[in-house]
Amino acid sequence: MSLNTLEEIASYIVSGGKGILAADESNPTCGKRFDSIGVESNENNRRDYREMLFRSSGMKDNIGGVILFDETIRQNAKDGTPLVDIISNQGALPGIKVDKGLQPFGDLDETVTVGLDGLDERLKEYVSLGAKFTKWRAVIKIGDGMPTQECIDANMKALADYAKIVQDNGMVPMVEPEVLMDGSHSIEDCYDASDRSLKSLFKHLADNEVNIKGTILKPNMVTSGSNSNQQADIDEVARKTLDCLIANVPPELPGITFLSGGQSDILATAHLDAMNKIGGFEWKLSFSYGRALQAAALKAWGGKPENMFISQDALSHRAKMNKLASLGDWDQGLEDD
Ligand code: 13P
């Protein structure tokens, strides 16, 4: 694969309905996922699980990029093959999470993502390890008095600073402003927080002269809070999400790849499909799911090597369903019962 420019890399990742497998859980987060199936989270188990995912047949044709955690980009498979080579051989590009997590911000329960210190040096190493794109996640909370504009702006400025440094190192930055689903807020509150975040993000990206054609946006969908007793239906989520994106995202951005954020795997597919069936935008609208791609595979695996094939089938199935949804061709009744 010879992809020379940022534009070519970004476009390749989302070409033909492909999306991204987010497998960049930090060790504590991976620990929580493994706890749910009674498996110890140690280096070997994390390697075995991810090697199994990356060798799944459904990676081919459906997955254009895989986001890795620092530990994983350095790991070899059991037979000694670097995991990044397994990913590349499946036709996907290796990516790397480069932020250093969240720090408290201001007087409310808000956070700002950190990791700019030493980023340039770390990126140079990741390039040498084969990374073609990167991810930085900002977290915006909805609640009493939140989000504050100060918190939004601090996070979006950090995202834009990160994006510029990444492009200067020849990789595609994925910018992830995640408005959390946690809470009992309405879908209108989520629209407002998402709208303010995207406005601030694209202003700061322009201020930094970030090349939008060599950038991927990883946003939340506009949904009701997960504890709200008024859950918006699929059509409303699709329409409000599209309205918010169309109002804020330049058409030349090559790809928008959603996070799943705690949605069930079928719902994450259904929302994506509904948006692509509505249409009316120029970017590719695809997925960068963690839980919504992995949940069934993790459960099927249960830490037992003899479950490898059913686990890989589960990942392959979800990858295929989400590719169909990225093309607006998913049909739950026919294909996903
Ligand atoms: P989820 O799809 O599980 O939200 O994970 C995506 C991700 O990478 C969050 O940063």
Side-chain angles (χ1 to χ4, degrees), residues 33-311:
R33 305 277 188 268
F34 279 17
D35 279 351
S36 74
I37 53 164
V39 172
E40 188 193 336
S41 176
N42 58 41
E43 204 173 324
N44 274 342
N45 286 343
R46 289 191 292 269
R47 192 275 312 272
D48 289 349
Y49 170 64
R50 286 166 170 152
E51 176 181 349
M52 175 183 73
L53 296 182
F54 304 158
R55 288 190 189 276
S56 302
S57 61
M59 289 280 298
K60 263 220 163 77
D61 300 328
N62 303 314
I63 300 294
V66 180
I67 318 173
L68 303 170
F69 189 60
D70 182 77
E71 174 183 277
T72 321
I73 199 168
R74 303 168 190 282
Q75 279 178 322
N76 292 335
K78 268 214 175 91
D79 68 3
T81 314
L83 292 183
V84 289
D85 289 355
I86 292 175
I87 291 168
S88 304
N89 290 336
Q90 294 276 32
L93 303 181
I96 181 80
K97 168 195 170 76
V98 302
D99 67 70
K100 293 274 199 185
L102 312 176
Q103 266 186 9
F105 179 89
D107 302 332
L108 303 174
D109 190 20
E110 296 188 298
T111 57
V112 65
T113 304
V114 294
L116 291 170
D117 283 352
L119 178 61
D120 191 57
E121 294 74 46
R122 289 192 289 126
L123 293 177
K124 290 187 169 33
E125 190 194 5
Y126 288 138
V127 168
S128 76
L129 292 168
K132 301 284 184 228
F133 72 103
T134 63
K135 173 186 125 172
W136 177 293
R137 173 175 176 255
V139 174
I140 302 297
K141 273 189 198 163
I142 299 176
D144 237 353
M146 300 186 294
T148 61
Q149 195 60 41
E150 292 73 20
C151 176
I152 289 177
D153 289 340
N155 272 295
M156 301 309 136
K157 163 100 173 58
L159 267 173
D161 289 348
Y162 136 85
K164 185 67 186 162
I165 301 171
V166 169
Q167 288 192 337
D168 287 347
N169 279 282
M171 289 185 285
V172 167
M174 170 177 256
V175 288
E176 180 178 8
E178 176 173 5
V179 176
L180 294 180
M181 283 175 72
D182 304 352
S184 51
H185 53 268
S186 66
I187 189 168
E188 284 78 15
D189 291 334
C190 180
Y191 185 102
D192 178 64
S194 304
D195 182 60
R196 287 163 59 202
S197 300
L198 291 172
K199 266 196 180 51
S200 176
L201 174 61
F202 282 96
K203 180 204 167 292
H204 283 103
L205 290 172
D207 287 351
N208 278 8
E209 297 182 352
V210 170
N211 174 2
I212 295 297
K213 290 183 181 167
T215 302
I216 292 179
L217 173 66
K218 174 165 178 162
N220 54 285
M221 296 181 196
V222 176
T223 65
S224 312
S226 48
N227 294 329
S228 167
N229 47 23
Q230 287 254 329
Q231 287 295 316
D233 64 14
I234 292 168
D235 189 59
E236 188 176 6
V237 169
R239 287 182 191 280
K240 285 211 160 63
T241 304
L242 280 183
D243 285 350
C244 190
L245 292 172
I246 288 167
N248 290 296
V249 183
E252 65 267 26
L253 185 98
I256 297 179
T257 61
F258 291 104
L259 59 95
S260 60
Q263 298 179 36
S264 76
D265 44 14
I266 298 271
L267 205 52
T269 306
H271 286 146
L272 180 60
D273 181 65
M275 284 184 256
N276 279 299
K277 282 193 165 77
I278 294 169
F281 44 83
E282 287 180 39
W283 347 274
K284 292 273 192 294
L285 209 56
S286 178
F287 57 94
S288 174
Y289 294 159
R291 285 162 284 182
L293 274 172
Q294 293 183 45
L298 181 73
K299 201 163 156 217
W301 178 54
K304 300 194 175 76
E306 63 269 27
N307 292 336
M308 181 176 85
F309 291 115
I310 51 165
S311 176

